[in-house]
Each structure stands twice: as C-alpha cells, then as structure tokens.
Amino acid sequence: MPQPLLPVSLPLPLPAAPTRDELIGHLVRTRIAGEVATPRENNLAHYRKLANGDRHYWLGLELGERWADEQDVLAVMAERCGVNDDPDYRAGQDTIDPELTVGALERAAAELRKAAESRARVLFATGHPGALLDMHGTLATMLRAVGCDIVRTPLRVFADEGVIVQFQGVAVYERGASLWHTHSPEPMAGILHGLEQAGEPLPDLVVADHGWAGRAAQHGLTTVGFADCNDPALFLGEAEGTLAVTVPLDDHVVDPRFYEPMTAYLLAAAGLAG
C-alpha cells in the first residue's frame, strides 16, 4: 500500500488496517458483503422498477431508455456487485461479492489519494446517516488534515420538506429535528445550486451514496459512490462512465462500527493512514 502522506490522527482511533484477506473475512462475517440481508425478491423488484422508468430508482441519474430491459440491469449487477446472475433465481438469499467490494474500495482509494495530492475540494454526503456517517466523516477528517478543502454546504438549503445540515464535514438530510435516510437526489441538487448561486467553486470530488452520488455524477462531477445490491442505478452509472467508482456493500448493517475495518483499509490504500 502507498506510504501515508502525513501522520494525522482521529478523535476516535480506527482499528489497524486489515490485510485484504482479513477484510474479506470481516465483510462476510458482518454481512457487509457475502450473503447479505437484502433478499432476492427485493433486488429484482428494484431492477424491474428502474427498467420501467421509475425515477425514484434512478437516484438522480438520467438513464433514458438505455436500461429498459431488466435482464440487462441484472447482468450489470452480477458483474459489478456480485448478485446471482441466474434470471430464473427469483426468491431467497442474494449476495454481494466481497472481492468486488474490496476491488472497488481500492479504486476509491486511488481517487482519494489523487484528491489528497492535489489538495482538492471535496464534498461528502450520505443518505444513510444511521450507518455511514462515521465512515464519511472519518474520510473527510483525514483529507482535511492533509490540506483538502472540505466543502461547507450553504446555509438554508431546503429539499423534500427538510433541510441540509453537516456533521464532521458530511452533508445529511434533516427533517423534524431528526436525520433521515433518503434516496432523493434533491438534497444534492440543492447544495450544488446553492454553491453556484453563492459564486463558490463546485467540488473536484464527491464521495456519497444514493441520490446524493447520482445527482453529483449527473452534474459532471467526479464521484465515488457506495451502493447496496438493491440500488442498481449507481452501478449502471459506473458502467456508463458517469460515476468514477461504485462500491458494492450492504449500506446499513446492524452496527455502524462494523464499517470501521473497511474505512481503515480504504485510508491505508489511499496513503492516508496516520
């Protein structure tokens, strides 16, 4: 792995970065990958709805009629996420290939390292604050420590009857004094519009998930996305070259601390472990 750019520390230290094999074992044990909790029926239903033009499942991307055959969607998901590629397998357990997860983490790490070396302007956002907020926040902290400009979202950005707020440099959606899980692209659209209205530069890199990632990529921004096996749009976006990287993973396992070894591996691969 690359050597760290600078020795930096975190408020709450991560575990030591695992080896590749150790990480794969951890991903399978915690069901971040391997036999994940998302059932096959749910996956196929989402692939069908995307193919039928339901824009909720496009996650902010403009897919046109290019993915109107759900079997084409399944083929991409088998290739890039590791779900079962048999179209006759309709019910039961489905999978995410941990080798594909780690490979995508390594590609994501290359984007983070480029951002660190160029002291880039980076925007972090998550639609899964109950699971992925710490991961995104840790990445933001480490990039800020080596000189990156972590985007501060404009004040009073409203979307979907809620407001965009930030914690540890990560944009999230708040409504009714609670942080919400959201697939909507509208919060990211609001941020980008707010930055343009304020005359501020757009980010050089976006690290996000769900519609936050899809809308950023559709806007032409270099984007690293994280996506579950029932969220095919970001994988299609990567296949078309709209997203730089899409990392396959279960995006809400039972304990957010289960993502810490993965985060440590990602930082080490990016040369940001301190």
Side-chain angles (χ1 to χ4, degrees), residues 49-170:
K49 290 174 181 177
L50 180 147
N52 288 340
D54 187 333
R55 296 180 72 87
H56 173 77
Y57 296 92
W58 289 13
L59 300 181
L61 293 168
E62 294 298 331
L63 300 177
E65 298 181 357
R66 298 186 298 278
W67 300 98
D69 186 339
E70 67 181 275
Q71 299 307 321
D72 291 340
V73 178
L74 174 60
V76 170
M77 293 304 292
E79 176 190 10
R80 293 179 179 269
C81 184
V83 302
N84 190 310
D85 64 357
D86 183 358
D88 294 325
Y89 180 59
R90 310 298 298 178
Q93 186 74 51
D94 215 337
T95 54
I96 293 174
D97 185 341
E99 292 279 358
L100 293 177
T101 301
V102 176
L105 287 171
E106 290 167 349
R107 297 196 306 276
E111 296 295 334
L112 294 177
R113 185 168 183 85
K114 284 192 291 185
E117 289 172 340
S118 64
R119 306 300 188 258
R121 183 166 163 81
V122 187
L123 173 60
F124 288 88
T126 183
H128 257 296
L132 300 180
L133 183 57
D134 271 357
M135 179 195 74
H136 286 292
T138 297
L139 299 179
T141 296
M142 296 299 275
L143 285 178
R144 182 185 291 112
V146 297
C148 287
D149 177 15
I150 304 304
V151 174
R152 287 174 63 85
T153 60
L155 296 176
R156 299 179 62 80
V157 174
F158 298 98
D160 299 330
E161 301 181 2
V163 64
I164 311 311
V165 296
Q166 274 185 298
F167 295 94
Q168 202 175 334
V170 185

Side-chain angles (χ1 to χ4, degrees), residues 10-14 134 138:
L10 294 165
L12 294 175
L14 288 170
D134 271 357
T138 297

Side-chain angles (χ1 to χ4, degrees), residues 228-246:
D228 209 327
C229 55
N230 63 352
D231 292 326
L234 298 190
F235 295 99
L236 303 182
E238 182 188 32
E240 293 189 332
T242 310
L243 274 86
V245 183
T246 299

Side-chain angles (χ1 to χ4, degrees), residues 242-268:
T242 310
L243 274 86
V245 183
T246 299
V247 180
L249 80 174
D250 187 311
D251 54 18
H252 202 140
V253 295
V254 296
D255 191 329
R257 286 177 292 186
F258 289 166
Y259 297 101
E260 290 179 355
M262 184 186 80
T263 306
Y265 185 90
L266 179 55
L267 288 171

